Amino acid sequence: MILLQIALPTPLYRCFDYLCPPKLPIPSVGSRVSVPFGRQTLVGVVIAHPSDSDVPKDKLKPINAVIDEIPIINDDSLALAFWLSSYYHYPLGETLAVMLPTHIIQGKAPPTTYALSANEPDQIPSKDRPKLTTKQTQALTLIKEQPFIRDDTLRNMGISTATINALLNKSLISKHPPIPKPPKVQGTPLNLNDEQAQALSAITHALDKGIYQGFLLNGITGSGKTEVYLHAIARALADGKQVLVLVPEIGLTPQTLARFRARFDAHIIALHSGLSDSERLSGWQACRTGDAQIVIATRSGIFYPFCQLGLIVVDEAHDSSFKQQDHLRYHACDVALYLGFCKKIPVVLGTATPSLEQYKLIADGKLTECKLTKRAGNADTAQFHLVDKRLGTVGHTDIHGVFHHGELAIETIKAIKATLEQGEQVMVFLNRRGFSPILLCGACGYQADCVRCSSHLTLHKSTLKQATHANASYLYNHLKCHHCGYQIKTPTQCPSCHSPNLIHLGQGTSQLYEQLHALFANPQNSDVVYPIHQIDRDTVQGKTAWDRLYDEINTARPMILIGTQMIAKGHHFENVTLVVVADADIGFLSPNFRSPEHTAQTIMQVSGRAGRAGRAGHVLIQTYNPQNPALTMLIKSGYEAFAKMLLNERCQLALPPYSHAVLIKADARHYDTAKNAIIHAKTHLNHFEHDFAILAPIDAPIVKKNNRFHVQMLILAKHRPTLHGILNIWWEQVLALPTSKGVRLMIDIDPMGW
């Protein structure tokens, strides 16, 4: 019997040897097989045909079945899986499980397309013509009318698998990959300015030469980065290549999809977490067969198998959403650059606010920078103005007659009113959803905390909405933990001292919505009632939510948009001329060392939404500390000068990108158990010769989450190869330590924070 090495979706850092019995065909590398594993039956991927095994042959089990006659995972995808598993120190079997659609992991077959074979019934002499049942005739007619029809489509039309197999056996139909029609450029491409033309020339040179080159398209907001993408994509499509475009959020997908469909007559598909398992499988198969010519996807799209990939574009490449925060903790930008290197294709990272790591890659000569310093159409950049909140803010009275202190200054309210009266739109940014982040008792100081986490409960309520029945009242007035989802109805009196004097501190998007509603959408206070849209995870839900929202905003009616970071990234709203950053101080006060960088990026990104269609744009940044040197440098000198200041600080402190970080996370039901696991892991690391800086044990930013306690260890190293060489041995040994039992241990390579 043939020996097989199989990767299984288990948390074990090893592959497993099985035998292929003579009655079964020998599966190729990259094929799926069904195997017994303990009391379970798992679907695994064959990764090798070894000549011998560490396990005695009489102890090896035979596989149950061969699922794929032809390998379903190509060599490129397998090579990528091996690299991901090695670099991120994650089990190979589970790495493949992350890369593949759920249906493929479960052993289901991908969609198959059928077309008429050369032996069409009409061309066969009547005496030799095979007899067909009514269903077979119906199926043959459907396939003739719709060439390259899929098997699931046929099944939905009542055609069974048995009928399809009968036609295959009679050689009347055959399996065919769909043949997409040649893509065409439609519409009139915009003329490029000199900077755009130079960037495009560099990208197309790499395309024509068929070489890898990483580009950082560093362009200010509104400078026409997307137009450069479109021209480069047109060149790649003309060469018969596929193109992958990565975006950080689902919210950007409809807008990007609409713009690409307006430019290209091609098969364009969108892949994101909002799709069903069947839709993901269809997209996966379309990439694999070459049917999909342009793929617009969120971070997991980097794992899809392309048969002719020619160009990768990562839009908003600075965004932290490209970093996966659980399971396989990869960064899509890093994976994109590695994939481009392997496939010898150019990779374009586009952003107005590059990360410090990307600036370091430019300095090291690993990325080629292409700068765009002018706004498209020579539009002026938005004008910044700091608003001192210490001078007072505007409050409002709700429908119950209760006065609430507001978040917006008098100067800000006047600017919003003037903008609306000019028929233009206003965007207000506050990166805090809910009504208020803190609920406490004014009598005894009781604070509403989560019973499962070491965090406060966020107050969610709306005085503008009323429940249709008593059992639904909590929907409009409740406390919720944003970490574990714990939720309770808002108490009417203090649970500790029974005082009715409950007060809320801080403001979220819901409270800001009510304040602006009272000022601009209440006929008693405003001569004109303006539409106000709240845009955050609580309000934008469902597959069509973004589409409806875009349609409403693009009517160009004067309105107010209130939102979290969902509105800060890459959106193109032509009639927005005023952007208000409601609170610029939060990010600069965070203990996270990356917080100033991320805060500056967000401020610059959201400010870029103003004045994108030739109109003058204005940005009001509210702060209690207008003398903050970091904020004033950002506003006066620009993001690049601010980033260089941060890079200098990071260099002096030997923090990333001037060192390589690894974060070890331990969580357990008891704090001491998690802490001991980290202490012993640190002790075991001292058995190796190294010059790492180690900080352990340290409490996680949220020590208790969902009834589990979290403790961490931070490792900083100067040399990446030395670090990974030790991790290859040390990490598996740590998992085997007695103190690691009953503890969930995770490793995060290049973490975003700690």
Side-chain angles (χ1 to χ4, degrees):
M1 289 192 285
I2 301 297
L3 193 61
L4 305 174
Q5 192 172 67
I6 299 171
L8 295 174
T10 70
L12 301 174
Y13 282 74
R14 52 166 295 195
C15 294
F16 300 87
D17 293 341
Y18 284 85
L19 296 173
C20 180
K23 64 179 181 180
L24 295 177
I26 300 173
S28 303
V29 172
S31 297
R32 293 171 299 163
V33 292
S34 172
V35 302
F37 188 79
R39 297 181 180 180
Q40 310 173 70
T41 298
L42 298 179
V43 174
V45 177
V46 178
I47 61 168
H49 294 152
S51 56
D52 57 4
S53 173
D54 295 336
V55 181
K57 206 163 187 178
D58 58 342
K59 297 289 182 72
L60 293 176
K61 295 181 180 180
I63 63 173
N64 293 333
V66 176
I67 298 175
D68 304 311
E69 297 176 6
I70 301 172
I72 199 168
I73 302 170
N74 60 33
D75 292 343
D76 288 345
S77 293
L78 273 179
L80 179 61
F82 276 104
W83 178 80
L84 289 165
S85 175
S86 172
Y87 183 78
Y88 292 104
H89 300 275
Y90 199 68
L92 178 61
E94 292 207 329
T95 298
L96 284 164
V98 170
M99 294 174 63
L100 298 172
T102 302
H103 283 340
I104 295 296
I105 300 165
Q106 294 172 345
K108 297 181 181 179
T112 304
T113 54
Y114 297 98
L116 293 179
S117 66
N119 300 323
E120 294 186 34
D122 296 341
Q123 298 175 0
I124 302 174
S126 56
K127 63 177 182 176
D128 300 325
R129 193 174 299 167
K131 294 183 179 180
L132 301 176
T133 65
T134 304
K135 280 290 185 185
Q136 290 170 3
T137 303
Q138 180 186 353
L140 204 62
T141 303
L142 286 171
I143 294 171
K144 186 174 183 178
E145 292 174 350
Q146 302 179 50
F148 309 112
I149 191 171
R150 287 173 26 162
D151 54 355
D152 52 353
T153 305
L154 288 169
R155 282 194 293 271
N156 291 336
M157 294 179 174
I159 306 300
S160 67
T161 303
T163 300
I164 296 172
N165 289 336
L167 293 175
L168 285 170
N169 293 333
K170 293 175 181 178
S171 300
L172 296 176
I173 63 172
S174 57
K175 297 178 181 179
H176 278 282
I179 301 176
K181 61 182 180 181
K184 296 179 181 178
V185 176
Q186 55 191 16
T188 305
L190 300 177
N191 293 325
L192 302 181
N193 60 33
D194 292 342
E195 292 178 334
Q196 290 173 312
Q198 288 175 9
L200 177 63
S201 176
I203 297 168
T204 53
H205 179 266
L207 280 168
D208 294 341
K209 293 291 184 181
I211 58 173
Y212 162 73
Q213 191 168 355
F215 295 95
L216 180 69
L217 189 59
N218 183 4
I220 62 172
T221 53
S223 59
K225 292 185 291 293
T226 304
E227 194 62 32
V228 177
Y229 302 157
L230 292 171
H231 279 73
I233 288 169
R235 176 66 67 90
L237 293 176
D239 294 337
K241 301 293 186 180
Q242 296 170 287
V243 177
L244 171 62
V245 180
L246 295 180
V247 293
E249 296 280 356
I250 296 175
L252 290 177
T253 308
Q255 178 178 273
T256 308
L257 201 59
R259 188 162 182 183
F260 277 51
R261 283 177 173 162
R263 177 64 61 88
F264 299 110
D265 180 12
H267 186 195
I268 305 173
I269 65 171
L271 302 172
H272 51 75
S273 59
L275 301 178
S276 66
D277 289 340
S278 296
E279 289 171 327
R280 282 200 201 95
L281 179 60
S282 296
W284 185 84
Q285 180 71 348
C287 294
R288 180 171 170 255
T289 60
D291 183 31
Q293 295 163 319
I294 300 176
V295 176
I296 301 169
T298 48
R299 60 176 176 256
S300 61
I302 196 65
F303 298 141
Y304 279 66
F306 293 84
C307 66
Q308 287 291 332
L309 186 60
L311 175 66
I312 301 175
V313 174
V314 184
D315 195 25
E316 307 295 339
H318 67 280
D319 200 283
S320 58
S321 298
F322 284 119
K323 171 71 172 179
Q324 176 70 28
Q325 298 293 351
D326 55 15
H327 306 298
L328 175 64
R329 290 169 169 79
Y330 66 94
H331 198 296
C333 286
D334 296 337
V335 180
L337 292 170
Y338 177 80
L339 188 60
F341 174 78
C342 293
K343 289 184 172 290
K344 295 181 174 57
I345 60 174
V347 178
V348 181
L349 310 181
T351 176
T353 53
S355 68
L356 301 192
E357 281 76 9
Q358 289 160 356
Y359 274 122
K360 180 69 163 52
L361 289 174
I362 292 171
D364 293 343
K366 296 178 180 178
L367 280 180
T368 301
E369 185 179 26
C370 301
K371 280 192 173 184
L372 305 180
T373 60
K374 303 173 185 175
R375 275 199 152 189
N378 291 320
D380 294 332
T381 55
Q383 299 298 310
F384 289 88
H385 180 63
L386 293 179
V387 177
D388 191 346
K389 291 175 68 175
R390 295 173 300 181
L391 300 178
T393 59
V394 177
H396 74 284
T397 302
D398 64 20
I399 59 174
H400 301 296
V402 179
F403 179 80
H404 298 279
H405 293 284
E407 185 75 25
L408 302 178
I410 299 171
E411 181 181 350
T412 302
I413 295 298
K414 289 181 179 178
I416 292 174
K417 183 177 181 181
T419 303
L420 294 173
E421 289 175 348
Q422 291 172 9
E424 298 167 351
Q425 296 173 348
V426 177
M427 179 181 290
V428 184
F429 172 75
L430 179 63
N431 202 23
R432 191 193 296 121
R433 62 190 175 102
F435 190 87
S436 176
I438 296 175
L439 179 73
L440 55 78
C441 174
C444 72
Y446 161 85
Q447 189 166 345
D449 293 331
C450 178
V451 297
R452 301 175 186 166
C453 307
S454 54
S455 64
H456 308 309
L457 293 175
T458 299
L459 175 63
H460 287 254
K461 75 171 186 176
S462 173
T463 58
L464 302 177
K465 297 180 181 178
Q466 299 297 324
T468 54
H469 55 86
N471 291 336
S473 60
Y474 75 94
L475 293 173
Y476 304 104
N477 195 352
H478 64 272
L479 295 167
K480 184 176 182 179
C481 175
H482 287 175
H483 300 288
C484 72
Y486 174 76
Q487 184 171 307
I488 58 171
K489 186 176 180 180
T490 305
T492 55
Q493 61 182 19
C494 173
S496 179
C497 71
H498 307 293
S499 167
N501 187 22
L502 291 176
I503 58 178
H504 51 76
L505 298 179
Q507 190 172 50
T509 49
S510 296
Q511 190 177 163
L512 188 58
Y513 174 88
E514 293 195 2
Q515 179 186 0
L516 289 169
H517 186 277
L519 296 173
F520 297 104
N522 186 343
Q524 296 178 342
N525 298 330
S526 178
D527 295 334
V528 180
V529 175
Y530 296 102
I532 303 176
H533 295 285
Q534 181 181 335
I535 306 172
D536 55 35
R537 289 184 185 177
D538 297 326
T539 58
V540 181
Q541 298 177 348
K543 290 185 177 181
T544 60
W546 269 112
D547 295 325
R548 295 195 304 269
L549 191 58
Y550 273 119
D551 290 342
E552 175 66 19
I553 295 171
N554 288 333
T555 60
R557 295 169 55 198
M559 65 180 68
I560 302 174
L561 311 175
I562 307 167
T564 58
Q565 59 183 353
M566 292 179 71
I567 62 173
K569 304 172 183 178
H571 301 292
H572 182 77
F573 302 136
E574 292 189 352
N575 206 37
V576 171
T577 58
L578 175 65
V579 166
V580 177
V581 178
D583 188 350
D585 299 324
I586 302 174
F588 291 110
L589 300 175
S590 170
N592 187 336
F593 83 102
R594 291 190 190 273
S595 189
E597 175 191 359
H598 292 166
T599 301
Q601 288 171 336
T602 302
I603 288 175
M604 300 308 291
Q605 288 288 333
V606 74
S607 67
R609 304 313 110 205
R612 295 177 67 91
R615 304 181 186 182
H618 300 277
V619 181
L620 301 183
I621 300 178
Q622 298 194 144
T623 174
Y624 283 107
N625 184 15
Q627 287 78 38
N628 182 339
L631 182 58
T632 54
M633 170 171 272
L634 177 67
I635 302 308
K636 293 181 179 179
S637 303
Y639 176 78
E640 186 168 350
F642 177 85
K644 288 181 178 178
M645 178 191 73
L646 290 184
L647 275 170
N648 185 50
E649 291 179 0
R650 297 268 189 96
C651 183
Q652 294 178 22
L653 296 172
L655 288 172
Y658 294 96
S659 63
H660 307 286
V662 176
L663 192 64
I664 307 299
K665 303 179 182 181
D667 70 86
R669 292 194 174 277
H670 301 284
Y671 176 79
D672 288 341
T673 305
K675 185 175 180 179
N676 285 336
I678 290 296
I679 291 172
H680 282 80
K682 178 184 178 182
T683 302
H684 195 72
L685 185 56
N686 292 331
H687 296 167
F688 297 83
E689 290 187 13
H690 65 77
D691 59 351
F692 304 157
I694 302 174
L695 186 60
I698 54 176
D699 290 345
I702 301 175
V703 178
K704 184 183 177 185
K705 186 185 294 186
N706 205 11
N707 289 325
R708 295 185 70 89
F709 293 89
H710 297 251
V711 184
Q712 302 179 157
M713 174 166 66
L714 175 65
I715 303 172
L716 293 173
K718 292 182 179 179
H719 305 289
R720 194 193 301 271
T722 304
L723 172 65
H724 284 274
I726 291 177
L727 289 178
N728 285 334
I729 304 170
W730 171 78
W731 179 238
E732 291 191 43
Q733 292 177 352
V734 166
L735 295 175
L737 290 174
T739 50
S740 298
K741 292 182 179 178
V743 179
R744 283 198 297 234
L745 283 163
M746 294 157 282
I747 184 169
D748 189 355
I749 306 296
D750 305 326
M752 296 302 292
W754 46 79

